[in-house]
Amino acid sequence: MDLEVSPELTIPAAELEWRFSRSSGPGGQHVNTSDSRVQLSWNVRDSAVLSGGQRTVLIRRLGSRFVSGALTVTASEHRSQLRNREIALAKLAHLVAGGLAPEGPGRRATKPTRGSNRRRLAAKERRSATKQQRRRPSAE
């Protein structure tokens, strides 16, 4: 089952690595006997479907999420392994799509207005006066 991230990018099932383990949480005795927790990994560094530019962008933006070159997501929200598989696929697709999305426009720096500067200084004066009134009176 291939993972379609966008119309331009589809990750083949052969590049996805699944691991299953016992999940914590609700489910009673069922949880103790079934491997419903799903861990899905995709090795970005060795992927054949990414171009060099895409690979670089993903590594730069999602670098903190990598473990030895692989991007890993976990799903254990449901009691069903099948449902957790679907959630893990959706999480990975969302993560990769977000990592490849173009960056928005940068912030344009502006100067504070004269009024906002005046209000800021007035607030500082009020705060200073409050603190001065709390001091112990001088011994003069």
Side-chain angles (χ1 to χ4, degrees):
M1 170 162 82
D2 293 348
L3 174 62
E4 185 174 333
V5 176
S6 66
E8 300 85 34
L9 179 63
T10 302
I11 302 171
E15 291 189 7
L16 299 175
E17 182 184 333
W18 297 92
R19 263 179 295 207
F20 307 100
S21 60
R22 294 206 172 109
S23 179
S24 63
Q29 293 175 345
H30 173 77
V31 169
N32 301 330
T33 59
S34 63
D35 292 339
S36 59
R37 181 176 177 260
V38 174
Q39 203 172 18
L40 176 61
S41 298
W42 177 49
N43 195 329
V44 175
R45 296 186 198 282
D46 300 335
S47 179
V49 295
L50 291 175
S51 68
Q54 289 175 325
R55 184 174 289 110
T56 306
V57 167
L58 277 177
I59 290 171
R60 182 174 48 84
R61 288 190 184 168
L62 303 176
S64 61
R65 304 253 342 209
F66 284 84
V67 177
S68 57
L71 191 57
T72 304
V73 293
T74 306
S76 61
E77 289 87 2
H78 293 278
R79 290 170 57 173
S80 163
Q81 186 189 95
L82 179 63
R83 186 75 182 107
N84 285 332
R85 279 178 176 233
E86 293 168 355
I87 290 171
L89 284 170
K91 280 183 178 181
L92 184 64
H94 182 73
L95 194 63
V96 172
L100 291 175
E103 290 185 11
R107 180 185 173 276
R108 192 175 352 162
T110 58
K111 276 182 15 182
T113 62
R114 195 177 309 156
S116 69
N117 210 13
R118 206 175 296 135
R119 286 189 298 273
R120 181 180 63 84
L121 293 176
K124 286 178 74 147
E125 284 178 20
R126 283 193 304 272
R127 185 77 179 140
S128 173
T130 301
K131 290 189 170 214
Q132 283 177 358
Q133 290 172 356
R134 290 180 189 159
R135 287 186 189 158
R136 199 176 292 273
S138 63
E140 294 175 351

